[in-house]
Amino acid sequence: MAVRRRPLLTKIALHLGLVPFLVFALFPFYHMTLTSLKTDRELYDRHSVPLLIRQGVTFEHYAKLLWETAFLTWTKNSVLITVLATTISVLIGTVAAYALARLKFFGVETFGTGIFITYLVPTSLLFLPLAQVVHWLGLADSKWALVVTYPTFLVPFCTWLLMGYFRTVPKEVEECAMVDGATRIQALLRIVLPIAVPGLVCAILFAFTLSWNEFIYALTFTSSSEEITASVGVTSELIRGDIYFWGSLMAGAVLGSVPIVVLYVFFLDYYVSGLTAGAVK
Amino acid sequence: MAVGNIAVTVRLPLRVRVRELLDREQVLGPLFVTPALFLLVLLVAYPFCMALYFAVSNAFIGRPSHFVGLRNFVNLWQSDAFRQTFQNAFVFTGSAVALKLVLGISLAVLLNQQLWFKRAIRGAVLLPWVIPTALSTLGWWWMFNSLYSVVNWTGIHLGVMDPPGPNWLGQKYYAMTAVVVVNVWRGLPFFAITILAGLVSIPRELYEAAEADGAGPVARFWHVTLPLLSPVLAIVVLFSTIFTFSDFNIVYVLTHGGPINSTHLFATLARQVGLESGQIGQGAAISLYLFPVLVFVVWVHLRFVRRQAY
């Protein structure tokens, strides 16, 4: 009896040890969602319990956000920028990664190191001069500025991630196809890419998430309400003066996160493998 | 053979010749990296050189600039805001990375056990890393609100804080604590998941051997887990150091650098000086303080970590 009980007790202790971590990780989302659903009367009542909704759920903050602010435009911008930047970056990253992982040519090592270095260059180091470049390209205060600049951090990321995946595809498979008369590009398209699909999914997900979440470039290169992204819109346009509409602010934060959370729920394992790819490989 | 070859190439249609050319690694390789190279030269290398030039010029928004040597850097050291920022950057990075490391190892060890709802727990733990930081930081901003802080409400009701509790974002040390907490919250998943991957790759036999030698759980952790984990820990710490040092979103949303510059980091001060007050030269000089850390991390990585990997 005692022998069987001990593992169960340890197991319960283990789970109890995880509780503080889970509360720490999840509480902000819980509180955000809760705030967005509370009536203003309960929200600004200093004697109410902030951890629960007692006076009924309301969707007025969401309605206000959707119909009285430009939130839908910001979301549309975010979608457009994210989809374009992701497509461009994954395409460029795929061919570059294939070349780096598979082909021997002049300068391949140097370029590989260059990709690694740019992967680590923080966006906050370059935003000032990039604002000038964006201006010269005639893209100042335009969402196209973001479509053009997001690949600067997405391409190194995708290239690096995919290099690892291409290396796991055995060279022989590709060589067989080429012996059978396929060109190298055909072998890439028909043999290597299908095998590397998990890597591609991972690269697409990460590129999508990173550009949806990007903030400093979006804040710096765009400013008018028609051009900004959801993150920038919620953090700058919903805060005017000293009066904060906390309900709508939190509603914006919740809705702005929804697309990523949906992807995340469906593709959790890809996120886990992508997050570790950089460090462990 | 050679003659035959030439005769063949002459007669071959263009399509076939292109096809043959593309099969050569010396041709296809450079062709494949060109788009990436073009992008990185135009939008990373070139702006970087501009940043170097701005830093030694008196560039101001909408005005021609002149070379001023190191004056920007000298001026920075005479400004209280900058010296405060310099100090903040090290306090912030040091404490945030240290906390993330300790908590990350503990969390990874817990996650590495036989758990119920393993997937759900992992998913929950990783979530803060996925949500747009600017938006989740707004949530924290509300949690630290001076009047309605849920953190204080909970603290008071649990009896660990005296009412009304600290004014998190309005007082110097509390504000720094708040930005560190939010950074740890966001960065912990990267540490936990990566260290977990490192833990999983440690062979079971080593633990069994250690156990056979009479090593307890603590001894096994110190003598088996930590040494074998050290390469992963080194990479995680290196990467996180760069990302934490160059953080922008959390401070920008939560405190805007305040109160009285006590939470400014290089990125937020660079934006304030370079864009909000228009002194691009000065701002670029501040941004460049991120560069030595980048160089150091890349150097360590290429010199020690990469070498082991290949």
Side-chain angles (χ1 to χ4, degrees), chain A residues 88 91-93 95-96 111 155, chain B residues 29-41:
Chain A
I88 296 170
L91 285 177
I92 297 180
V95 288
F111 188 71
V155 165
Chain B
L31 197 70
F32 269 11
V33 298
T34 303
L37 190 65
F38 178 74
L39 184 87
L40 297 183
V41 168

Side-chain angles (χ1 to χ4, degrees), chain B residues 26-63:
Chain B
Q26 283 293 347
V27 176
L28 193 69
L31 197 70
F32 269 11
V33 298
T34 303
L37 190 65
F38 178 74
L39 184 87
L40 297 183
V41 168
L42 181 71
L43 294 171
V44 177
Y46 175 65
F48 180 70
C49 296
M50 275 174 73
L52 291 179
Y53 170 72
F54 280 158
V56 291
S57 78
N58 61 356
F60 200 92
I61 284 181
R63 225 194 271 163

Side-chain angles (χ1 to χ4, degrees), chain A residues 71-90:
Chain A
F71 185 76
L72 287 174
T73 315
W74 306 333
T75 308
K76 251 188 283 171
N77 291 342
S78 278
V79 171
L80 178 83
I81 293 161
T82 301
V83 168
L84 285 177
T86 300
T87 314
I88 296 170
S89 306
V90 172

Side-chain angles (χ1 to χ4, degrees), chain A residues 17-33 261 264, chain B residues 103 107 111 120-131 136 139-140 143 181-182 184-190 192-193:
Chain A
L18 273 167
V19 169
F21 286 104
L22 289 174
V23 171
F24 184 45
L26 296 179
F27 184 75
F29 302 120
Y30 169 74
H31 192 55
M32 236 156 77
T33 317
V261 174
Y264 177 68
Chain B
L103 292 176
L107 183 52
L111 289 175
I121 290 175
R122 267 194 207 188
V125 161
L126 196 61
L127 200 59
W129 189 84
V130 191
I131 304 295
S136 57
W140 280 96
M143 283 167 60
V181 166
V182 180
V184 169
W185 175 79
R186 203 212 107 94
L188 190 55
F190 173 65
I193 297 295

